[in-house]
Amino acid sequence: MRETNPNGMGNDVNDRIHAAWELVRSSAKLYSKGLETGINAGKGLEGEEIERLIFLGMGGSGIVGDIIRDMLAAPYTIPVHIFKDYSIPIKPRKDDLVIAVSYSGGTTETLTAFAQAHEAGCKLAAITSGGDLAKLAEKKGIPLATVSSGLQPRYAAPEMVSAAYGLLTHITQTRTEAKIMRDAIEELREYIEQFKKVNEGEAYEYAKSINNKIAVIYGHTHLFSTAYRLKAQLNENAKSQAFLAQLPEACHNEVEGWLMKTETAHIFLRSGYEPPIITSMVKWMTETLLSRGYTVKELRTEAKSHVAEIMKLVALIDFISISLAALRGADPLTLHLLPEVRKALQLNERLRQYALSSFAK
Ligand code: F6R
């Protein structure tokens, strides 16, 4: 019989929880590496004038576009779109910069939408650890940021985010500056120091307070991608259900559902740059939820920039999701149902081959 620790976990699960924890502890290093990769890869884009910025990608790679949009912070000087689908739902134009992000380099949705951008003559760039995306970028001379291989995509998100940021430092309209990211990485490095162990400290206490509850997460303005990261990490790492709502929109529907009593933990993403109207909205929501007997939590960090705030919150979220995995005896490095979906969708492979063949033209 397999030896178990006091939580009832097999040693291998325990080892994987610790490996996941250490990966998050190394995220400052991943951001640094990705930034330099992106800056180098993007040299060919120097001085390009673009009309719109479009990110393509799914899951742990798709969130890269969401995070970058939030790092650029409104008001944007150009439209920024993130599409997570088999096609681009607006007519692509040749002055669009379309960045495909796929850690494995083989995700069908990303490849088919990228093929559409290629056919439309858009300016292209790619971020991947290899696979078909790397091959076709090399063949077609598409600027390519190659990130470290051997990780699960969601654990490589920090490296892919900074690679995307690095690529964009060559595009004046995005107002991205390597210094902003480098300063944020330094802040993150210090912040991460306090997260020493999976089963003690802030992340563990937080995980305990939401354990066995369905998480309902509220994000707003530049913290919406961070809220989405929390949802996805609770799903994929802790094998736990989580749902997401956006402010102020949630005050126009969601709140009415609180009349039904559920075992939910309501989590608000808070920002040092929060608009006053959001602050008063969160205050009302918190008081109302508490008076109805719900668990209410918030997540916030002190940071010197929007970029640093997002990166520190992402690290905190990742740590919480792994602590929750530990409490639930879940393996945060193994996916069970996602691979099943891929197998079930046989048409995916045909679409993928079709997309790849369109690059051969
Ligand atoms: C796995 C994960 C998934 C993948 C997604 C797309 O860690 O988070 O959400 O990111 O299935 O695959 P890639 O990233 O290889 O394009």
Side-chain angles (χ1 to χ4, degrees):
M1 204 173 85
R2 192 187 286 163
E3 204 185 327
T4 56
N5 73 8
N7 286 339
M9 272 184 279
N11 273 345
D12 49 354
V13 173
N14 225 350
D15 289 349
R16 295 170 73 75
I17 287 168
H18 285 283
W21 186 264
E22 287 309 314
L23 270 172
V24 180
R25 274 175 49 83
S26 74
S27 49
K29 224 186 285 166
L30 292 176
Y31 280 110
S32 284
K33 189 161 180 274
L35 181 65
E36 301 315 318
T37 306
I39 291 173
N40 274 327
K43 283 182 181 147
L45 297 170
E46 188 65 47
E48 289 278 11
E49 288 283 318
I50 60 169
E51 264 182 30
R52 299 181 299 192
L53 175 60
I54 297 176
F55 278 94
L56 308 174
M58 304 302 293
S61 297
I63 198 160
V64 171
D66 301 325
I67 291 178
I68 290 289
R69 182 199 49 212
D70 285 348
M71 284 181 168
L72 301 186
Y76 310 111
T77 55
I78 46 169
V80 183
H81 297 283
I82 296 98
F83 296 125
K84 304 182 181 190
D85 210 334
Y86 292 91
S87 63
I88 300 176
I90 52 177
K91 198 168 185 298
R93 304 184 203 133
K94 62 177 182 17
D95 287 327
D96 291 337
L97 172 60
V98 180
I99 305 182
V101 189
S102 169
Y103 184 74
S104 63
T107 299
T108 305
E109 291 91 328
T110 314
L111 290 173
T112 52
F114 202 43
Q116 186 188 347
H118 174 249
E119 273 173 14
C122 303
K123 299 176 203 306
L124 305 176
I127 301 173
T128 183
S129 70
D132 287 322
L133 186 56
K135 279 190 214 138
L136 64 87
E138 275 158 12
K139 194 166 132 212
K140 292 280 168 184
I142 295 168
L144 168 68
T146 309
V147 295
S148 314
S149 58
L151 300 175
Q152 290 261 337
R154 59 192 180 282
Y155 290 91
E159 191 174 339
M160 295 193 283
V161 163
S162 56
Y165 194 95
L167 276 171
L168 293 178
T169 55
H170 299 281
I171 309 282
T172 333
Q173 291 136 296
T174 60
R175 297 175 304 192
T176 38
E177 290 168 33
K179 183 173 182 325
I180 299 176
M181 173 61 77
R182 289 197 182 109
D183 289 349
I185 293 171
E186 279 322 303
E187 258 192 87
L188 177 71
R189 207 185 298 278
E190 273 176 37
Y191 177 68
I192 281 181
E193 276 308 302
Q194 67 184 288
F195 296 93
K196 300 220 184 304
K197 290 199 178 135
V198 181
N199 52 3
E200 63 181 44
E202 186 184 350
Y204 189 63
E205 292 309 315
Y206 206 97
K208 277 203 285 193
S209 71
I210 61 169
N211 192 14
N212 294 322
K213 295 199 166 71
I214 292 176
V216 182
I217 304 154
Y218 301 91
H220 62 85
T221 41
H222 70 288
L223 292 189
F224 195 63
S225 57
T226 321
Y228 191 65
R229 174 73 170 182
L230 176 58
K231 176 222 161 347
Q233 295 293 69
L234 293 181
N235 296 151
E236 290 187 73
N237 290 344
K239 322 296 176 198
S240 182
Q241 291 207 47
F243 298 91
L244 183 67
Q246 189 160 19
L247 298 179
E249 173 67 8
C251 284
H252 296 265
N253 35 60
E254 182 101 6
V255 295
E256 204 63 21
W258 297 348
L259 294 173
M260 175 185 175
K261 187 74 188 89
T262 47
E263 278 302 306
T264 40
H266 296 254
I267 304 172
F268 291 89
L269 270 289
R270 306 301 302 270
S271 169
Y273 304 93
E274 201 166 276
I277 188 70
I278 296 288
T279 307
S280 48
M281 192 174 285
V282 173
K283 183 171 177 291
W284 179 86
M285 292 173 88
T286 303
E287 286 166 4
T288 308
L289 282 163
L290 287 174
S291 72
R292 297 187 158 270
Y294 287 104
T295 300
V296 183
K297 303 287 295 174
E298 57 177 39
L299 273 181
R300 70 163 89 221
T301 61
E302 296 275 309
K304 295 193 188 112
S305 67
H306 282 77
V307 172
E309 187 176 57
I310 292 169
M311 284 160 56
K312 287 161 95 171
L313 276 171
V314 166
L316 175 59
I317 282 164
D318 291 2
F319 284 128
I320 290 171
S321 70
I322 297 166
S323 286
L324 186 60
L327 283 163
R328 294 173 46 71
D331 176 347
L333 291 178
T334 304
L335 297 173
H336 305 282
L337 294 182
L338 253 74
E340 295 293 315
V341 189
R342 286 186 202 125
K343 268 190 261 157
L345 299 179
Q346 285 168 5
L347 183 59
N348 251 358
E349 185 49 26
R350 278 169 49 203
L351 288 171
R352 216 172 70 84
Q353 291 306 332
Y354 183 75
L356 293 176
S357 68
S358 88
F359 280 95
K361 286 178 205 159

